[in-house]
């Protein structure tokens, strides 16, 4: 599995590499436990390369193999389910994505406990799908649950908490609560300003851009200009 992590190689050689991996599976073994993981890895790499059809095909096969070989409650089976949900979301199949995320959250809650950080990740991704389906209030409720779990597991100063606050702000924007959205964004920016930098380097700039847009809509042009300048500074800092 260590030899097929290059995405560019996957685009041209992926099918041949997968065939080779399958050839290396022990003959006469009815349940080769590594096969679901191999298929999942290929599905994920296809997703990152933009080949969503091939990603879905690989992940569907991975799920079937994992469920049959490792069992429906195995961690690999749930991981594949989560990746299937992400691909369905990327493909715009939101009803399927919602169903898969709910099944993933249920599986993680049963296996790891309802307060596990994985559950928070699932809730946040589910909220994104629900919001895209036009249910902003429900999305916010899911994000508030995720925020509680993330605060409990990572602490109030975690960049993950800041990211969830920004997601909550986006649902408030959809519900036309601009003042509430600005308050959540300011909380996130304050976490970043205290040195708690996010994994995604563009998250800070995105927070400032959202803040600037909202302030301009409220007629606060000076505040909006300052926020946009901060966003530009963040992106220039990243480019250095």
């Amino acid at each position: 599995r260590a030899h097929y992590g290059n995405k560019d190689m996957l685009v041209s050689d992926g099918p041949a590499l997968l065939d080779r991996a399958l050839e290396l599976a022990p003959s006469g073994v009815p349940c080769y436990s590594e096969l679901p993981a191999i298929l999942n890895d290929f599905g994920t790499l296809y997703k990152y390369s933009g080949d969503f059809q091939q990603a879905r095909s690989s992940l569907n096969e991975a799920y079937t193999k994992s469920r049959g070989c490792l069992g429906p409650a195995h961690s690999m089976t749930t991981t594949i389910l989560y990746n299937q949900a992400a691909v369905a979301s990327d493909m715009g199949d939101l009803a399927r994505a919602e169903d898969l995320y709910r099944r993933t959250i249920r599986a993680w809650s049963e296996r790891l406990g309802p307060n596990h950080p994985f559950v928070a990740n699932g809730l946040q991704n589910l909220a994104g799908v629900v919001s895209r389906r036009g249910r902003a209030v429900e999305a916010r409720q899911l994000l508030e649950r995720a925020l509680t779990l993330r605060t409990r597991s990572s602490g109030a100063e975690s960049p993950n908490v800041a990211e969830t606050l920004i997601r909550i702000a986006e649902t408030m924007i959809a519900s036309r609560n601009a003042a509430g959205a600005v308050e959540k964004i300011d909380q996130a920016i304050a976490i970043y300003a205290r040195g708690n930098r996010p994994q995604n380097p563009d998250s800070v700039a995105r927070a400032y851009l959202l803040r600037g847009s909202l302030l301009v809509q409220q007629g606060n042009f000076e505040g909006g200009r300052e926020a946009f300048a901060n966003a530009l500074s963040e992106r220039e800092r990243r480019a250095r």
Side-chain angles (χ1 to χ4, degrees):
R1 291 171 60 190
H3 296 289
Y4 52 74
N6 185 287
K7 296 177 187 178
D8 293 332
M9 182 175 66
L10 174 73
V11 174
S12 58
D13 299 335
L17 287 167
L18 181 55
D19 288 342
R20 179 59 177 155
L22 298 178
E23 288 173 8
L24 292 173
S27 60
V29 178
C31 183
Y32 177 39
S33 60
E34 278 293 301
L35 184 55
I38 291 171
L39 290 165
N40 176 69
D41 287 350
F42 270 91
T44 303
L45 287 169
Y46 278 123
K47 174 185 182 295
Y48 289 145
S49 72
D51 189 345
F52 299 122
Q53 291 289 352
Q54 190 62 52
R56 181 167 64 180
S57 177
S58 294
L59 290 169
N60 286 349
E61 187 176 359
Y63 182 76
T64 300
K65 299 288 187 186
S66 188
R67 186 179 175 85
C69 181
L70 303 173
H74 194 277
S75 59
M76 175 52 66
T77 306
T78 308
T79 295
I80 295 167
L81 196 66
Y82 182 74
N83 290 333
Q84 285 181 302
V87 169
S89 177
D90 287 339
M91 296 180 73
D93 190 351
L94 300 182
R96 175 171 168 76
E98 180 176 345
D99 175 65
L100 291 169
Y101 276 131
R102 290 189 186 280
R103 289 166 58 190
T104 302
I105 292 166
R106 186 162 54 248
W108 275 334
S109 296
E110 291 172 357
R111 178 179 171 80
L112 303 173
N115 298 324
H116 196 276
F118 283 7
V119 176
N121 293 343
L123 288 169
Q124 183 151 311
N125 282 292
L126 173 61
V129 171
V130 167
S131 180
R132 288 168 65 191
R133 300 191 76 186
R135 287 146 46 202
V137 173
E138 182 181 351
R140 182 181 173 187
Q141 292 169 347
L142 291 166
L143 288 167
E144 294 285 1
R145 286 174 58 193
L147 181 65
T148 298
L149 295 184
R150 286 188 158 172
T151 302
R152 185 180 299 159
S153 63
S154 303
E157 292 295 299
S158 167
N160 289 333
V161 168
E163 177 62 29
T164 304
L165 286 167
I166 294 170
R167 296 288 186 90
I168 292 172
E170 289 171 339
T171 65
M172 298 175 92
I173 293 169
S175 300
R176 302 182 186 280
N177 183 0
V182 171
E183 181 181 347
K184 296 295 182 185
I185 292 168
D186 284 347
Q187 291 174 21
I189 289 173
I191 291 172
Y192 294 145
R194 287 191 287 270
N196 302 295
R197 308 299 291 184
Q199 279 191 326
N200 182 351
D202 200 49
S203 293
V204 182
R206 183 165 65 90
Y208 279 120
L209 287 172
L210 275 175
R211 187 178 198 279
S213 296
L214 288 168
L215 292 177
V216 168
Q217 290 172 23
Q218 294 173 329
N220 184 351
F221 300 109
E222 183 61 33
R225 182 164 52 248
E226 180 183 354
F228 291 141
N230 287 330
L232 180 60
S233 295
E234 281 293 328
R235 288 183 169 165
E236 288 176 340
R237 186 182 65 82
R238 283 179 51 211
R240 288 199 286 273

